[in-house]
Amino acid sequence: MARLKTLVPIAPETTVLPEQFRLQAKTDAFLPAKRLMVAVLERALGEYETCAARTDWRGRRQLAEVEAWFASDDTGWPFSFVAICEALGLDVLSVRAGLRVYHAQARRVALRATGGT
């Protein structure tokens, strides 16, 4: 199992900055539901990062599951990707673009580490 051993640079225009996760000082900013949405998004991003460079079948299956969540346009569920982005003020297309860039770079690093082309 190849592990990502180097940092993968992400283009600045597709990076979600830590400041974007800080909730604005509004009356509903620190409601438990919003804190949970941040936690769900952080967990999904962590899963994506962990699985993006894996080449084994289990890693590919886990990556497919988290990619499906990020790709879904469902807004009927409060913890869907689109609903979370809307609630937190994140641009859905920018986050998805950043994930595609990250995945491509992580795969290149993993292939180099395992001697692939």
Side-chain angles (χ1 to χ4, degrees):
M1 165 174 48
R3 296 198 53 92
L4 187 61
K5 298 203 187 247
T6 60
L7 294 176
V8 177
I10 297 177
E13 65 275 4
T14 60
T15 303
V16 178
L17 300 173
E19 295 83 38
Q20 292 173 299
F21 281 109
R22 291 196 190 109
L23 301 173
Q24 300 300 318
K26 298 178 192 172
T27 56
D28 68 339
F30 294 101
L31 288 175
K34 282 205 174 182
R35 290 196 311 265
L36 183 56
M37 287 178 175
V38 170
V40 168
L41 184 58
E42 286 177 342
R43 175 66 187 253
L45 290 168
E47 286 288 316
Y48 190 88
E49 181 181 8
T50 300
C51 297
R54 289 181 56 187
T55 57
D56 63 304
W57 70 269
R58 189 170 287 145
R60 288 192 310 265
R61 187 185 74 217
Q62 287 175 314
L63 180 63
E65 289 175 11
V66 75
E67 281 182 322
W69 183 77
F70 280 116
S72 173
D73 288 324
D74 177 23
T75 57
W77 181 52
F79 295 100
S80 68
F81 172 66
V82 173
I84 288 175
C85 285
E86 288 174 357
L88 300 178
L90 300 172
D91 181 63
V92 172
L93 297 177
S94 294
V95 175
R96 287 177 177 161
L99 291 170
R100 283 191 298 275
V101 170
Y102 178 84
H103 183 246
Q105 291 172 340
R107 295 291 289 173
R108 280 195 299 274
V109 169
L111 287 172
R112 269 188 255 132
T114 60
T117 55

